[in-house]
Amino acid sequence: MRKHWIDNLRSVTVLLVLFYHVIYFYNNKGVFGGIGGFGDGPQYQDVVMYILYPWFMPLLFLLAGISARYALDKYDGKTWFKARTRKLLVPATIGLFVFHWMVGYFNTVVAAREGVFDGIPAIAKYFVMAFSGIGPLWFIQDLWLFSLLLLLIRKLDSGNRFHAWCGKVFGGKTGIVWTILLGILFWAGEQFLIRNPRPESADGLYNLYKPLFYLVPFLMGYFVFSHDGVQELLGKVWTPLLGCAAVAGAILIATTFGQDNTSPEYLSSPLNCLYGWLACLAMMAWFKARFDRTGAFAGYMTKSSYGLYIVHYLVIASLGYMMKTYTQLPPVAMYLILAVAVFTLSPLLYEIIRRIPFIRWCVLGENKPAKP
């Protein structure tokens, strides 16, 4: 039986990623990658980044781990990994040269402003733009790598003994206590970040991908949260989990607003990790308890959320850059226009791409268009 709450939570999280990028693009907190804010004073709208960033990407990896377990219960490893390679690696490599070079153009001019391409041969310029267009695709690159590692890890647990043990421990009477204590692993993963990196350096790139950190929730999803008993247990305590997450988040924001919330020092702090982990648990618990159903819109989002994630940043980077650089619009208008655009033009762009066979394969990793 399909777990609609997982589909719905993944879809909602992707929509939050789109909204996050609207705020992030104009932030003035020193977060690498945006075009910058509107002066040095407080931008209270940036609070969205502090609310979402500690948990929404770990949650996506957690859900991916759960889904990997379900898929590998149905398909053999070779068939599954072949499908993962097409769905993840093709868009994150070939797709760069077909579609994301356009994102790369705006990423490059945002970082270096006008004249960045002066004197560079056209072919070199194209390759620079393609590799600069990775943007949010780091997520699917990490996910492909984790899928490969999972096949090796499964060989170590070929009898499913560890998976079964996790079900007994975390789905038992004291399971919620052990589940919350998994936050220690969440915190430990953040300690592998490199301190004081330069954003343009290899250190900064490592801190974007955070492979050792994101592998933790992916494996938690596979071994722990794929059990029905663990999911049922979470669903029973969704209210206190949401309350605890809200309190932890409020304290975190009240004490750290104004800092670079993506710096290693910030991310590895105990309070940030506590909030991030409680928010992951709370969102899973809430959706398990209240949103385990589907409908027309939910069904569409289940099939299209991955595509929206893949294509949305072109809308953010292009329109966001042009408004900030070439217009005198007030900030509130820029935010509103960019928010409306990303939620309307991204689905339109996705619908166009998924109907063009070769482009669909390159950009979305799909052989056939997903049914609406």
Side-chain angles (χ1 to χ4, degrees):
M1 183 175 178
R2 192 169 186 96
K3 307 274 189 176
H4 293 300
W5 73 267
I6 295 178
D7 294 331
N8 294 336
L9 181 52
R10 183 186 294 110
S11 299
V12 167
T13 306
V14 167
L15 292 177
L16 290 175
V17 170
L18 270 60
F19 182 60
Y20 169 88
H21 280 144
V22 171
I23 305 300
Y24 150 90
F25 196 75
Y26 291 131
N27 85 88
N28 71 349
K29 303 299 183 291
V31 178
F32 176 70
I35 197 172
F38 305 95
D40 297 326
Q43 287 191 175
Y44 294 109
Q45 64 272 23
D46 289 350
V47 73
V48 170
M49 301 192 304
Y50 295 77
I51 294 172
L52 297 179
Y53 193 75
W55 61 267
F56 68 168
M57 297 312 296
L59 179 59
L60 285 178
F61 280 107
L62 231 165
L63 297 177
I66 297 174
S67 298
R69 177 70 201 190
Y70 294 157
L72 285 165
D73 283 342
K74 295 173 59 178
Y75 305 105
D76 64 90
K78 183 178 180 180
T79 301
W80 175 76
F81 187 68
K82 182 179 179 181
R84 291 287 81 192
T85 297
R86 187 194 72 242
K87 189 73 173 180
L88 301 173
L89 194 60
V90 169
T93 53
I94 298 173
L96 296 178
F97 296 92
V98 175
F99 179 82
H100 297 284
W101 62 269
M102 294 180 283
V103 176
Y105 169 79
F106 290 102
N107 282 345
T108 306
V109 296
V110 163
R113 302 299 187 265
E114 299 299 330
V116 66
F117 290 123
D118 291 352
I120 300 179
I123 187 64
K125 184 189 302 183
Y126 174 61
F127 274 88
V128 169
M129 291 190 297
F131 286 111
S132 298
I134 292 175
L137 298 189
W138 67 265
F139 168 69
I140 61 174
Q141 291 176 340
D142 263 2
L143 195 52
W144 180 84
L145 175 62
F146 298 163
S147 299
L148 177 61
L149 291 175
L150 183 59
L151 294 182
L152 302 177
I153 293 170
R154 276 169 57 87
K155 293 184 180 297
L156 301 176
D157 188 39
S158 57
N160 281 324
R161 292 180 180 179
F162 184 68
H163 181 263
W165 177 83
C166 288
K168 292 179 181 178
V169 171
F170 295 97
K173 292 182 179 180
T174 59
I176 190 62
V177 175
W178 294 112
T179 300
I180 292 173
L181 288 176
L182 280 176
I184 296 173
L185 294 180
F186 190 92
W187 169 84
E190 288 282 27
Q191 307 313 304
F192 288 102
L193 295 176
I194 300 173
R195 299 303 192 270
N196 300 316
R198 291 172 295 144
E200 70 277 7
S201 70
D203 290 353
L205 191 62
Y206 174 85
N207 285 344
L208 171 65
Y209 281 81
K210 298 199 293 185
L212 293 177
F213 169 65
Y214 287 124
L215 180 61
V216 171
F218 179 76
L219 293 179
M220 286 180 183
Y222 180 86
F223 284 109
V224 177
F225 294 97
S226 60
H227 291 280
D228 289 344
V230 178
Q231 296 172 15
E232 293 293 336
L233 193 61
L234 279 178
K236 292 177 181 178
V237 293
W238 70 273
T239 304
L241 281 176
L242 268 180
C244 290
V247 171
I251 296 172
L252 176 69
I253 294 167
T255 56
T256 64
F257 185 77
Q259 300 178 24
D260 179 351
N261 68 297
T262 65
S263 70
E265 292 77 14
Y266 189 99
L267 292 175
S268 61
S269 69
L271 183 55
N272 178 75
C273 294
L274 175 64
Y275 167 58
W277 182 238
L278 288 176
C280 286
L281 295 181
M283 292 299 288
M284 287 192 294
W286 186 27
F287 273 70
K288 168 60 182 172
R290 310 298 292 180
F291 301 104
D292 195 14
R293 56 186 183 271
T294 191
F297 177 73
Y300 173 78
M301 285 300 303
T302 295
K303 293 179 172 61
S304 63
S305 61
Y306 175 77
L308 297 181
Y309 181 90
I310 293 293
V311 306
H312 82 278
Y313 203 70
L314 178 60
V315 178
I316 297 282
S318 59
L319 185 57
Y321 169 77
M322 288 187 289
M323 286 195 296
K324 184 78 182 304
T325 306
Y326 299 113
T327 77
Q328 299 297 319
L329 290 170
V332 65
M334 293 189 194
Y335 281 111
L336 289 174
I337 292 171
L338 198 55
V340 171
V342 77
F343 287 111
T344 55
L345 298 183
S346 298
L348 178 61
L349 190 55
Y350 164 72
E351 290 296 332
I352 293 172
I353 289 173
R354 78 179 187 90
R355 287 171 166 79
I356 307 174
F358 178 70
I359 303 299
R360 177 179 65 238
W361 179 80
C362 294
V363 179
L364 302 175
E366 296 177 359
N367 287 329
K368 297 180 181 179
K371 295 180 180 178

